[in-house]
Amino acid sequence: MANSLFLPYMSSRSGRGLLLPILLAGLLLCPAAREQGTESAGAESARLAIKVDQVGYPVNGPKVALVSSPATIFEIRRSSDGGVVFRGNLAPPQSDPDSGDQVQAADFSGLRRAGIFYLAVPGVGRSWDFTVGKNVFAHAYYMAMRAFYGQRCGTAVDLGPEFPGYAHAICHQQGEFHPSSGANGPRDNIGGWHDAGDYGRYMVNSGISTGTLLWAWEIYGRKLKNIPLKIPESGNGTPDILNEARWNLEWMLKMQDDDGGAWHKQTSEHFSAFVAPEDDKLPSEVIGTGAAPYKSTCATADLAAVGAIAARVYQPYDAKFAARALETARRAWAWTEKNPDVTFRNPPGVTTGEYGDASCKDERLWAAAELWRTTGEAAYNNFFLKNYAEFLPSLDSPPAENWASVAPMGLWTYALSSRKDADAKAVAAIRERTLNAARAVVERTRRNPYRVSMQAKDYVWGSNGVAAGYGIYLLIANEFEPDNSFVDAARDNLHYLLGRNTFSLSWMTQVGEHSFQHPHHRPSGDGKQPGPWPGLLSGGPNAGRQDAVLAALPKDLPPAKVYADQLASYASNEICINWQASLVFLLAGELR
Ligand code: G3I
Ligand code: 9MR
Ligand code: ZN
């Protein structure tokens, strides 16, 4: 047990994977090595017991670290020379049923000085380094956004001198219709982002991911506008976040059939081996539902929603593209009117991700709301007003939104629009429910020993996306009614992702001193690079245990602990564009 469970975390810093077994062997061999080994293992375990956001804390905000080994006082010390800059008492222990840990808070909000620090806890040891600074998440934002560039399909990718060797040759240049699509012959549809650790491209997940990035732009554009991402389009006059999102949008537009419907996905029939993108030679198939009308309503409505957002967002930069996106969105919408609920299941012989959904009504709500927000046309408004009320209760259980449930996007976009023809009653209901639920989340987050909004039920496949989703929810509430408690609680969930968690692990590759190392990600797992591709968010703990690695963990593990930093754990350690996009949104909210 100890081995399968703990070795991965202990060995997660580059080089440590080798170091630990060597130290253990040394322990048996010579007393000197034993002493050294014990000390180093102790130092490591202290760092695991003292959980900090390994990126850092804004100078003017709350600053809390968490300690899961009994102690009474703590100090904040400068990393450069160990000088003490702050002293405090640890709060009394709180027991956290979700992780099984006893946690004590170290509140150093009183430290108002920028720098690189660590936490020293007498009797325990020291933490990883972290930064206190004004715009402390700027680099993490850059890394998270650039990760999308790394996921680009149909082109060669190279992260450049900053990350030498992180490159892949042009991939997936050929495509064809699968019999389930109702068509046959070649259909290249080159482009888009690889969804995750696999090389599939899926419309539904593309919809929420691209939509989330475009929303980040709409809400935080002022801050994002001038951040260069060092991508091939940089300097073309369009902000880079929009350049990157367009890469995927262009592929999404190509997934539309002549009748306006969109095929559900483009993947091989089964997942490829763990090879580099350019070495995956399985035919890339445009896959449909297997029977007329072949396209799915969820995919088509998501295309309509995202196309409608794109029409507003790209207007100032490329009016022709904006018009094309709007035309696509309108035709997609019209298709869903004729085919209001064609759901998708994998057709026989296809075993890649399903992104199946029991109902596409929420996707249609989102599409109508975005189309109305863009065009102001009464037909879209009428559809929204006829249907929104049944989705209001979804706002009562945050984060509510995920790839299968996009009703919150529909409701929020309606309430966030500043259109004069907005229905006042609808807007008030949406705002009020969001604010009430957000206030409850703030309270819960304050009480939670790990200061997360997560509840036991939230540790599902992609739980890190759930944590980020709480952050989004709170930041949207903050748009309705600015309130620091919303922003602070959103940041608490970010802290969790960046190291303030039971594993003292940053779930962003190459961000933080102790970040996860073995994503289920084919380009990282093909052995060509020294470590994982940078900037990627892990799926996170998953009590559903839908892979063999998780299934083999001790039966009585609490939900927040059901995680393994192992390549084979696709149910807890895969990277994916939807939770990546949620992370970007959260980080964008933090930019100064
Ligand atoms: O929400 C329910 C919850 O109510 C229930 O209690 C719990 C019990 O297990 O399950 C929860 O649902 C899970 C759902 O993820 C949560 O979002 C399902 O069991 C679980 O099967 C489902 O997993 C999905 C997974 O594909 C398998 O289909 C993930 O959402 C989805 O993100 C993931 O997506 C994959 C693609 O298929 C392929 N590409 C990679 C991508 C990421 O792993
Ligand atoms: O690599 C696949 C990953 O992208 C999916 O999310 C996951 C669940 O659908 O499946 C992974 O592929 C595994 C397959 O399901 C079972 N055999 C091992 C594959 C991973 O190497
Ligand atoms: Zn590709």
Side-chain angles (χ1 to χ4, degrees), residues 196-198 271 274 353 461 520 522 570 574:
D198 64 324
F271 291 116
F274 251 76
W461 194 313
H520 185 85
R522 281 164 176 73
Y570 50 80
E574 186 162 12

Side-chain angles (χ1 to χ4, degrees), residues 195-199 202 271-274 351-355 461 520-522 546 567-568 570-571 574-575:
D195 183 55
D198 64 324
Y199 297 132
Y202 306 82
F271 291 116
S272 76
F274 251 76
T351 57
T352 47
E354 189 164 71
Y355 290 116
W461 194 313
H520 185 85
H521 180 236
R522 281 164 176 73
Q546 297 98 328
L567 183 147
Y570 50 80
E574 186 162 12
I575 67 96

Side-chain angles (χ1 to χ4, degrees), residues 245-420:
R246 183 166 172 173
W247 184 266
N248 198 54
L249 274 166
E250 292 280 7
W251 170 79
M252 290 185 77
L253 299 182
K254 289 181 200 159
M255 287 294 279
Q256 185 171 47
D257 196 1
D258 293 340
D259 65 358
W263 287 285
H264 198 75
K265 63 177 180 177
Q266 182 171 1
T267 74
S268 40
E269 287 189 324
H270 53 88
F271 291 116
S272 76
F274 251 76
V275 296
E278 63 271 29
D279 296 331
D280 171 23
K281 303 294 185 200
L282 297 175
S284 170
E285 315 267 352
V286 173
I287 292 169
T289 59
Y294 300 103
K295 281 76 63 180
S296 77
T297 305
C298 289
T300 307
D302 277 351
L303 174 63
V306 168
I309 311 174
R312 330 188 262 276
V313 158
Y314 291 90
Q315 177 63 32
Y317 301 104
D318 184 343
K320 254 175 84 177
F321 176 65
R324 181 155 66 90
L326 183 57
E327 185 52 28
T328 300
R330 287 180 182 285
R331 290 176 46 237
W333 172 260
W335 190 92
T336 70
E337 291 208 293
K338 284 183 231 128
N339 305 279
D341 215 358
V342 185
T343 54
F344 178 86
R345 301 303 307 262
N346 266 337
V350 174
T351 57
T352 47
E354 189 164 71
Y355 290 116
D357 189 345
S359 160
C360 304
K361 266 195 108 169
D362 51 318
E363 282 77 8
R364 293 198 75 213
L365 186 82
W366 183 29
E370 296 290 9
L371 273 159
W372 166 76
R373 188 173 174 184
T374 301
T375 66
E377 287 170 19
Y380 302 123
N381 198 11
N382 292 340
F383 181 92
F384 180 86
L385 292 174
K386 227 166 126 183
N387 291 282
Y388 81 94
E390 77 174 270
F391 292 100
L392 284 176
S394 74
L395 295 175
D396 300 342
S397 21
E401 176 212 302
N402 58 56
W403 60 258
S405 306
V406 293
M409 305 281 282
L411 297 167
W412 289 334
T413 205
Y414 193 90
L416 287 170
S417 95
S418 38
R419 297 207 81 93
K420 299 217 170 36

Side-chain angles (χ1 to χ4, degrees), residues 482-493:
D483 182 334
N484 281 339
S485 76
F486 294 152
V487 181
D488 291 345
R491 192 184 309 118
D492 278 328
N493 291 291

Side-chain angles (χ1 to χ4, degrees), residues 152-154 171-172 194 277:
R152 284 193 192 188
C153 183
C171 58
H172 304 109
H194 300 139

